[in-house]
Amino acid sequence: MAQIKKPAGNAGGNTQTSLLFGKRNYLFFIAGVVLIFIGFIAMAGGSMPSPDVWDESLIYAPVRITVAPILILSGLVLCGVSIFVKNK
């Protein structure tokens, strides 16, 4: 009579799988998403005091032109770094 072979490995149901990313990866990713969100809020800025007045100092403010894009790009970089951070 032929014997049935069991598959190699732990087929008894006691397998313990580890996640692909660790807690540290998710913290870096969440921090990156928060930076992107803050950058978009800074880029949106406020509204004009009056719809009839065009105020270039509000539209072309340094926060909207330089700080917000830097925040968004640093958030994207941090999200990319979160993929490559090694688990401990």
Side-chain angles (χ1 to χ4, degrees):
M1 185 148 232
Q3 291 183 349
I4 299 174
K5 291 185 178 182
K6 291 185 179 181
N10 192 358
N14 294 345
T15 59
Q16 182 178 359
T17 59
S18 63
L19 296 175
L20 183 61
F21 296 121
K23 182 179 178 181
R24 196 169 164 201
N25 296 89
Y26 289 115
L27 288 176
F28 276 120
F29 185 76
I30 290 170
V33 169
V34 167
L35 272 177
I36 292 169
F37 187 70
I38 290 172
F40 277 119
I41 289 174
M43 194 176 289
S47 61
M48 291 287 183
S50 171
D52 298 329
V53 177
W54 176 266
D55 190 5
E56 287 188 9
S57 66
L58 292 176
I59 299 284
Y60 303 112
V63 172
R64 285 185 176 179
I65 299 296
T66 57
V67 176
I70 289 171
L71 283 173
I72 292 170
L73 289 175
S74 62
L76 289 171
V77 167
L78 195 58
C79 285
V81 167
S82 73
I83 296 171
F84 297 107
V85 169
K86 187 152 181 127
N87 289 338
K88 285 189 175 182

